[in-house]
Amino acid sequence: MKVGDAVRRLGRDELERLVRLRPDLGRARDVDDLIHRANWQGSIVAATEELSMTGWVTMSAACLAGPAASFEGIRKLVSLPEEVLVEGASELAALLLADTDGETLDLHGTLRQQLPYPFGLGRPVVTLLESLVMDDLRTILAALGLDEEGRKADLVERLSGYLLAPGRIAQLVAGAPPEVRALLAEFDQRGYPCVDAEHPAEQDARAHGLLVRPRWSEAELPREVGVALRGGLPLGIPYERPAAVVRPVSDAEIAAANADAVAAAHTTIDRIARIVSLLAEEPVPLRQDEALGVREVKRLAGALGRPEHEIAWLVEVASGLGLLKRAGRAGSRRLASAGQWGGSATDRWLELARGFGTTYRHTHVAGRRDDSRLLLAPLAHAPSLGDPRPLRTDVLQIFDVLDASSALDPASIGPLAHWLRPARWGSQPASPREIAAFLHDEMESLGLVAGGRLSAPFQALRAGDEDRARELFEGAAGLGHRGFTVQADATIIVPGRAAPQTSAKLRRFADVESDGAALVLRVTETSIRRAIDAGETAEGIVAFLTEHASHGLPQPIAVLIDDVGRRHGSLVVGAGRAFVRSDDPALLEQVLRHRKLAKLGLRRAASGLLVADATTATLIGALRGAGFLPVAETPAEPAAVRARRAPPADPAFSHYVLDEVPVDPAAWALRMLASAR
């Protein structure tokens, strides 16, 4: 395929479609630059991720068939219906990945290099036999009862001619011992399972040409053997689109689902706020790679009473919102709070909902294990995972096709997404079903999905109507039980499903003990202190409980809340690295007002005492430089005073970023056409 010729044949409409499908080409300055970019390997690989299963199957079949393969040859090779082949060829041509005249399909040369194993099949048996040494070839010939004499080229020709005889490989596979067939099937399914070269089953398979070790470190299943194992179908399964499993839903069910979505959002908001509060009280150490370690995740999980993988996800989301920051020196960094989360519950949900589509962090797999059973730690740097935003777009695209009275079975999301974008979903750290399940769980927890549908507030937000999204979110928040019972043992019981706003308010100053058929919480001194730290007041908590408690507020609970509110803040802790003490108030006032000492951060802590942000040595030197005669107090300074000033904490490391502004397709197409004249 000659990309230059294909580009120069494109009209305005085709160019507009091209830049929509391959937005990286929008950076092209003119048609020559466009041709150069369209030939760039990185752009081609990115374009293959936009292929549907139809385009992917057509591309893989064309790779099997060879350069400039005819449609008829491709159809015979993989048994594709003609309309599928035509649709796939058109998709490839629109992406500048292939050229077609309606009878042949010529793929871009880079695609053949990038796809040496179409449909997951190995290389042809002839190619693999040519990589073997003479002794290995003679071993296979002897096992098959063939002549072992001749040059290497003669041996390869003799052996390949025997193996490629019609039905021969299928006959060898069928006649192999069960353990050999099982090993071959494992190679076909997993690609390169870890097998010892001395394993008897592998030695038997290699002796009969059913498995080849082109290098000592790896074994490969010949393409023809893979096809035989798949019953003669290179694709392995019939070409059939998975069906979306949907069910009808009533208006009442939709309203209940919207209420569930908002309740889930309130719960997530509360748990994020609790994590931020805990890390404000006590920052936790990070690993050397600045990810959050297992021990710290376990500690947070114990404090919140939630599973570890959920804590890992909450930490990822909180950091994405800029609520957490890394502090301290490199090598001894700590994860700390970057401040309280402001705004109403609706404002917070809007932040979460917008962030779902824009974060480039794989929040949905944090705390999970990949196919190798390796734990994906929260905040870990994992560039190999790629950009997760297209995955989220694919899932939303699947929900978008639902009509107003249908709900989707979550189990069908994975197969549908894999069919929609096989290259993208097939390269993830887990199977498409698992990744889709993780994303669906995340969307449910964020209040974006409930009952197999996008929630009404999220649909309004995606449509660009933020005011309507706010109205729907706050309206759904009023559904459910608002009343509850406060008992003398400091427990609060909400029967049935609590209204999201009520549940969120209670969770701010009470700890959840159970959340099943009824919501049970307990008020403690620690939970009240945490709420006051977050901005609540003792008077406000008492007023809320008095207003909504169906049987009144027991006096012991009111006394407990008032007592915590009275004692809260009676001690104030501040930062200070050195102090200046004197019995002469006038002298201290002179020091406090001296211009040369302004940069030390001196301030009055008590009568006869100033504190500073500088170390003791720095403070003494500055005072002497200003004309004073200080002395260092004994005994020796505490280690905290001698410590050097730590570097300032880096800013909140937000993972929620905006996409680049796309070019105007119409103007870009006109510019390309003008440059081609």
Side-chain angles (χ1 to χ4, degrees), residues 180 201 560 622 652 654:
V180 174
L560 171 65
S654 174

Side-chain angles (χ1 to χ4, degrees), residues 214-300:
R215 287 178 292 277
W216 69 270
S217 59
E218 65 181 45
E220 186 171 331
L221 191 73
R223 179 173 297 175
E224 294 80 1
V225 177
V227 172
L229 288 167
R230 300 178 185 187
L233 292 174
L235 184 57
I237 56 173
Y239 177 87
E240 184 177 352
R241 180 185 178 92
V245 181
V246 297
R247 60 180 177 83
V249 290
S250 64
D251 291 343
E253 288 177 302
I254 293 174
N258 288 331
D260 289 340
V262 173
H266 276 279
T267 300
T268 297
I269 289 168
D270 174 71
R271 288 172 182 163
I272 291 175
R274 289 191 63 189
I275 286 179
V276 172
S277 178
L278 288 171
L279 294 178
E281 296 172 5
E282 184 181 357
V284 296
L286 294 169
R287 301 187 322 197
Q288 289 297 314
D289 62 356
E290 300 198 352
L292 193 62
V294 174
R295 182 173 60 182
E296 307 308 329
V297 171
K298 287 180 178 291
R299 187 178 302 173
L300 290 172

Side-chain angles (χ1 to χ4, degrees), residues 409-464:
D409 182 357
S412 63
I413 297 175
L416 288 171
H418 187 232
W419 181 272
L420 187 66
R421 297 288 184 267
R424 181 180 298 152
W425 285 79
S427 60
Q428 297 304 309
S431 70
R433 285 186 182 274
E434 289 177 306
I435 294 294
F438 296 162
L439 281 168
H440 182 264
D441 290 347
E442 180 175 40
M443 294 173 71
E444 277 196 326
S445 297
L446 294 173
L448 312 182
V449 165
R453 296 176 52 83
L454 296 182
S455 67
F458 186 51
Q459 290 184 50
L461 184 63
R462 293 189 69 213

